[in-house]
Amino acid sequence: MLLQNFKHSVNSLKRNKLFSILNISGLAIGFSVVTIIVLFLVTEYSKDKNIPGHKNIYRLYDVKERSIAMDFKLNDKLKEQFPEIEKACAVRTFFGFDMPFATEKNYINEHKAFLTTNSFFDLFDIQVVKSLAKEPLPDYGSAVITESLAARLFPGEEALGGKMNIFGYTDVIVSAIVRDFSDKSLNCNIILHGENPKFKNWGQQGDVNIASQFIALKSSADVSSFVVKMNKLLIELNPKANPVAIQKLDDIYLNSSGMKYNCNDAGNKKMLIVFFTISIMILLLSVMNNFNYTLSLQYGNLKEIGVRKTSGAGTVHLLKLFLTDSALKGFLSFSASILLTFLLLPLTTDLFQRKLDFTSVIRPEFLLPGFLITCFVIILNSVASIYVLTKFDINTFLTGGKSKNLRHPVRSTITVFQLAISVTLLISMIIISKQIAFVKHSDIGFKKEQLVRINLPIMPLEEKARAFKSKINQLSFVESSSLSNGVPGMINYTGSSNIGKNDVEFNDFTISELLVDADFIKTMGIKLKEGREFRTGEGEKVCIINETAYKKYGWHDIEGKKFNGWGNLDVVGVSYDFNISSLHTLPVPVCLIFGDKMNDYAQISIRLQKGDVPNMLGEIQKEWQSMFSPMPFVFTFYDEFFNGLYSKEEKTGSILSLFSILAFLITCLGILGVTFQNCINRTKEVGIRKVNGAKTADLLELLNRDYVIQAVIAVVVATPSAYFIMDKWLQSFAYRTSQSWWIYATAIIITLVVVIGAVSLQTWQTARMNPVRALRYE
């Protein structure tokens, strides 16, 4: 019996080839997309969970400031005072700008480097491949690099023991090579000794070298009691210290939003929730499609059901037949989805910015849920068949009566739900694209076009930096240039608004500080609201604050006002606000400190005229090589840099666009398949109407009307849902676009056009059919 049912199911697939292809491919696409998304989600949520003892590892952070910036030396004091601490390490981090590392034959630029001690390797289970000594960092002049960096920096030669120059500032020796640890949230390619005196001033604020503090508590430790005792010690060391809390290593990757000085990679938890929601939606669409297909097919097979029942087939026999039919289609879809996932997975690397491993897909923890979902689909389809069977009237069939089941509310509800999901995704896709375009083209308070930034070698002699600027200004295509330490998008100093101030005007808040020369305002295109620009000869005496800082102080004018963060600096001007970060946040207080006599300029900003930019950059490179060779010439356009701040949103938009298209494809496949079966079921009706004089246009209206109504209902349901979801998403931006009416109008038009187009492909053929073909067997 089972073999006979299986043969019947195979013949049914062959008999309804188009219908079967649409049915199986729709479910396979859905399964494959969901598998890829879930694989990505598992990868994200598994970050740092491969580190031994990860559940007992914590990071300290300042509760009030929501900052991980701690004194580098605090690490030793904690280990001395608290026996609960099993391991600990401090990590100083430098990132946010390109750092040149050079050998005698090669150089590269890295975006991040760690300064730490040997305890780092033990705490985070960093695998040492080879080493010159027992410890990875045997002395202050040593450096540890990853295998990938060794291959890039020392191609074709032994990296161990090799000499590297950093920033054109100092040399270090490669003392160890470790495996890449990009699977951890705390990762980089180069690790330097954090106690090296030459690095003492890097990242220093006052007398403090700021660092992240990580501790591993013993499993027997009382965490709450430890935090209380730790804060008591910190208050003893510094009565003004803010309360400190600890954050589990497991939570850092997805729960570090807004954390200042965060040196760990940060995932986007909201984005993961969006992806999870999308995967559920696509899974529902696929399952509902399959259910709808089965429902439509069984209505088309009423004659077969009638013949079998009149031939003595019982309900159990029919149910076994339905179950075999559903199982064959379900497992074909499941198998096809695994093959499709294998083919698509390499294409997702750029999309998700990480490589997903196919071997994870064929592990039991992935195959078992997929198998169970397939079984659920099989059971659900069997329920659809049972539903049709309960509606079947054998008397009507035997007497040739007319079926009363011309409309099927279950099938219609499913179609409406599918379309509503697709419309919601479509509206979301358009709004995200509009928001990204909005922030990219918004006024950020300075002219970022035709503006180039070049990072200078660390601590160059003042004369050398000025000489380079002088040569650059002599180039005919350079409008102006400016030396600074800190630029928009790269702030090297922050401090208090009034350090040491105790009078009635005291108003303490954090302020970002940029050390600039006299041409900074002009080069950046920043406009002054009040006061004047800097004058030659008054370096280290004056400053300009932005409008936000001015309001924070509560001043009514700047006459006689002082900024005490760098000494008693006269405030000579107030600039309009300009963004130093993305438009996710409102402008923050900023102080431009005139550093005319400073000798630690870190960047030069160059404003170019319009023209042949590659040729201009080539001329600038020649001057660079004559001054700073062999340091690499690396430049960044400000507009490209600030556009890059929205890369996560762009990736989200790209992924959402892809999934929206897939959702629409799955929905259209479902509607097309149901329409195909519906047209077959109504072939006799169409023939009779044509014989009675019905026109093709009338028949198209008859066959399409239900789907158009369903599309309209779906739009009505999806519109408020999409508005609510996108309103929540837009709140993550301080500057946001409006949800314009045309977005919803566009989504409605696209939905109606797609639905009507998909349906009309099949109904047009049915409406034009020769009535003789429809009625010749009746």
Side-chain angles (χ1 to χ4, degrees), residues 320-461:
K320 289 181 179 179
L321 182 63
F322 296 152
L323 190 63
T324 305
D325 195 43
S326 299
L328 177 62
K329 293 174 183 176
F331 285 115
L332 280 175
S333 299
F334 182 61
S335 302
S337 71
I338 294 176
L339 176 61
L340 191 59
T341 300
F342 174 76
L343 296 174
L344 293 178
L345 213 53
L347 305 178
T348 64
T349 301
D350 183 61
L351 192 65
F352 290 116
Q353 293 296 292
R354 67 188 73 254
K355 187 177 181 180
L356 303 180
D357 187 10
F358 178 74
T359 57
S360 299
V361 178
I362 55 178
R363 291 175 183 169
E365 55 265 32
F366 266 88
L367 289 177
L368 182 59
F371 175 80
L372 293 176
I373 292 173
T374 304
C375 291
F376 171 76
V377 172
I378 292 170
I379 294 172
L380 188 66
N381 288 340
S382 299
V383 170
S385 302
I386 295 171
Y387 173 79
V388 174
L389 193 61
T390 58
K391 297 293 182 181
F392 180 77
D393 184 359
I394 188 66
N395 294 322
T396 302
F397 172 76
L398 291 173
T399 58
K402 185 178 179 181
S403 173
K404 296 180 181 180
N405 293 306
L406 295 177
R407 296 181 182 274
H408 312 297
V410 174
R411 200 171 64 192
S412 299
T413 302
I414 291 174
T415 302
V416 169
F417 187 78
Q418 288 176 297
L419 286 170
I421 291 176
S422 298
V423 172
T424 301
L425 290 174
L426 179 61
I427 293 173
S428 301
M429 176 185 72
I430 298 173
I431 291 176
I432 289 176
S433 300
K434 185 170 181 278
Q435 173 64 18
I436 292 172
F438 173 78
V439 294
K440 278 188 172 183
H441 298 93
S442 293
D443 181 12
I444 60 174
F446 69 93
K447 298 177 182 178
K448 62 182 185 293
E449 294 75 22
Q450 299 296 120
L451 190 61
V452 180
R453 184 195 77 218
I454 303 173
N455 295 325
L456 298 171
I458 193 168
M459 293 185 178
L461 294 175

Side-chain angles (χ1 to χ4, degrees), residues 94-99 110-112 167 453 455 490 492:
F94 298 95
F95 57 94
F97 53 92
D98 293 319
M99 296 176 289
E110 279 294 298
H111 200 64
K112 186 193 295 186
F167 282 114
R453 184 195 77 218
N455 295 325
M490 188 187 297
N492 299 331

Side-chain angles (χ1 to χ4, degrees), residues 723-737:
Y723 183 89
F724 175 78
I725 293 170
M726 284 294 97
D727 184 64
K728 288 290 185 182
W729 181 79
L730 287 171
Q731 288 177 14
S732 64
F733 290 86
Y735 300 87
R736 45 186 176 268
T737 187

Side-chain angles (χ1 to χ4, degrees), residues 8 11 62 75 89-90 134 256 267 279 356 365 375 411 488 492-493 532 557 749 753 764 772:
H8 172 271
N11 290 332
D62 185 318
N75 182 259
C89 75
K134 184 177 180 181
S256 293
S279 68
L356 303 180
E365 55 265 32
C375 291
R411 200 171 64 192
N492 299 331
Y493 298 102
R532 62 173 176 81
D557 58 64
I749 292 171
V753 168
W764 175 259
V772 174

Side-chain angles (χ1 to χ4, degrees), residues 94-99 110-111 167 261 446 452-456 484-494 512-516 520 524 578-582 590 592 601-605 634-638 641-642 645:
F94 298 95
F95 57 94
F97 53 92
D98 293 319
M99 296 176 289
E110 279 294 298
H111 200 64
F167 282 114
Y261 302 103
F446 69 93
V452 180
R453 184 195 77 218
I454 303 173
N455 295 325
L456 298 171
S484 64
N485 194 324
V487 291
M490 188 187 297
I491 304 301
N492 299 331
Y493 298 102
T494 58
S512 297
E513 300 157 344
L514 286 75
L515 278 64
V516 303
F520 187 81
M524 303 303 293
F578 57 93
N579 283 80
I580 59 173
S581 58
S582 72
V590 177
L592 303 178
Y601 291 122
Q603 297 89 22
I604 181 170
S605 300
V634 180
F635 61 88
T636 302
F637 280 95
Y638 278 84
F641 174 81
F642 274 85
L645 296 177

Side-chain angles (χ1 to χ4, degrees), residues 613-664:
V613 174
N615 184 60
M616 295 177 188
L617 293 173
E619 293 297 314
I620 295 174
Q621 184 175 10
K622 290 179 182 178
E623 300 297 341
W624 173 273
Q625 291 173 341
S626 68
M627 186 71 66
F628 297 114
S629 181
M631 298 309 298
F633 174 69
V634 180
F635 61 88
T636 302
F637 280 95
Y638 278 84
D639 53 355
E640 293 178 355
F641 174 81
F642 274 85
N643 288 343
L645 296 177
Y646 310 106
S647 59
K648 286 186 178 180
E649 284 73 19
E650 285 190 297
K651 283 296 177 186
T652 302
S654 299
I655 294 171
L656 185 61
S657 298
L658 175 61
F659 291 152
S660 297
I661 293 171
L662 286 173
F664 247 109

Side-chain angles (χ1 to χ4, degrees), residues 120-121 124-130 144-149 176-184 186-189 191:
F120 170 82
F121 300 91
F124 290 101
D125 191 40
I126 309 302
Q127 302 299 311
V128 178
V129 177
K130 45 188 173 180
V144 176
I145 61 176
T146 60
E147 289 180 305
S148 61
L149 180 60
I177 297 174
V178 298
R179 297 196 188 282
D180 289 56
F181 49 103
S182 56
D183 59 329
K184 298 175 173 62
L186 190 69
N187 68 82
C188 69
N189 285 316
I191 303 168

